[in-house]
Amino acid sequence: EAGVTQFPSHSVIEKGQTVTLRCDPISGHDNLYWYRRVMGKEIKFLLHFVKESKQDESGMPNNRFLAERTGGTYSTLKVQPAELEDSGVYFCASSHLSDSRREQYFGPGTRLTVT
Amino acid sequence: EDKVVQSPLSLVVHEGDTVTLNCSYEVTNFRSLLWYKQEKKAPTFLFMLTSSGIEKKSGRLSSILDKKELFSILNITATQTGDSAVYLCAVSGGSYIPTFGRGTSLIVHP
């Protein structure tokens, strides 16, 4: 079974530019989560999709962040315009909807550097 | 607000040593405590603990939860260089969304 994949591995952009991160969850996983880890801090929840619907987006920092999951498969997270404080590692995770334990499988992360 | 505190932040040991990593937490409507191992990339799942006093074991790793004192420990016996990683503790409450600690960075020297 293929794991969660994320693209790109690393992105370096200038302040004010736009970046789109992509996450492909494990096939058949309805739950998809985005997290972010800023250097020196803990991993923080951003939002949660169930299929194509946003279940919880309470962790999204501000309206420069837009997440989508059209068709309930892969998801994208767009940052526009990017600011310096957006730098960090963005993780995606997925889990079965029916799994009562809801164990989440993490992707390798996308390291975003805003200069 | 849910909170997870891990200690120590960093640990350097030699192969063969035994280490204990600590995780204390505050959470509303506790559901589970999770341990992850993060090497270069994705955090990989180690244990999920939901009940006090029941030790979970996987090879040289073991973990136990104390829901009364609100903490968990992760033990690694006879450490190997391959155990070098950041160990993350997370707790989930009513929403199933985990709150993570900052992690403990473990370095095992040969």
Side-chain angles (χ1 to χ4, degrees):
Chain A
E1 178 181 79
V4 177
T5 58
Q6 293 187 243
F7 180 85
S9 299
H10 190 184
S11 180
V12 181
I13 61 172
E14 292 184 336
K15 175 182 171 181
Q17 292 183 326
T18 298
V19 64
T20 300
L21 315 180
R22 173 171 170 144
C23 168
D24 285 80
I26 292 172
S27 178
H29 280 192
D30 289 321
N31 289 302
L32 187 148
Y33 308 83
W34 282 99
Y35 296 88
R36 177 174 72 174
R37 183 169 195 166
V38 173
M39 187 179 292
K41 302 280 188 180
E42 59 275 9
I43 295 174
K44 288 278 198 184
F45 165 78
L46 295 179
L47 90 158
H48 170 208
F49 282 100
V50 176
K51 298 186 180 178
E52 66 274 10
S53 299
K54 290 176 186 173
Q55 184 77 11
D56 182 347
E57 52 184 327
S58 60
M60 294 288 264
N62 51 61
N63 59 10
R64 295 185 294 102
F65 288 74
L66 175 64
E68 294 179 321
R69 193 183 182 194
T70 307
T73 54
Y74 71 91
S75 175
T76 58
L77 179 65
K78 181 192 286 188
V79 185
Q80 179 182 31
E83 298 289 343
L84 298 178
E85 64 264 25
D86 300 332
S87 295
V89 180
Y90 289 77
F91 290 102
C92 175
S94 70
S95 69
H96 281 294
L97 184 65
S98 59
D99 186 342
S100 61
R101 298 181 311 154
R102 298 209 186 180
E103 176 186 327
Q104 297 182 20
Y105 297 85
F106 280 78
T110 292
R111 180 175 295 279
L112 174 64
T113 303
V114 183
T115 63
Chain B
E1 186 178 317
D2 298 347
K3 185 177 175 184
V4 176
V5 177
Q6 292 186 247
S7 64
L9 286 177
S10 178
L11 197 54
V12 180
V13 301
H14 287 97
E15 273 193 319
D17 289 346
T18 293
V19 298
T20 298
L21 310 184
N22 302 291
C23 175
S24 63
Y25 64 89
E26 296 171 22
V27 66
T28 303
N29 297 324
F30 175 88
R31 285 189 183 272
S32 61
L33 184 143
L34 306 107
W35 284 97
Y36 289 87
K37 177 182 181 181
Q38 184 179 18
E39 295 175 86
K40 292 196 185 301
K41 294 286 187 179
T44 53
F45 173 82
L46 293 176
F47 299 113
M48 176 183 283
L49 302 157
T50 56
S51 301
S52 278
I54 299 174
E55 185 182 51
K56 296 258 181 127
K57 281 183 71 77
S58 177
R60 294 176 294 101
L61 276 66
S62 64
S63 183
I64 198 160
L65 173 68
D66 186 329
K67 288 167 73 174
K68 182 180 177 186
E69 299 298 328
L70 308 182
F71 79 90
S72 173
I73 59 172
L74 176 67
N75 276 320
I76 309 175
T77 58
T79 51
Q80 302 171 358
T81 54
D83 295 327
S84 297
V86 175
Y87 290 84
L88 299 167
C89 175
V91 291
S92 67
S95 69
Y96 285 103
I97 303 298
T99 297
F100 284 85
R102 292 194 182 187
T104 293
S105 172
L106 174 65
I107 298 173
V108 182
H109 286 307

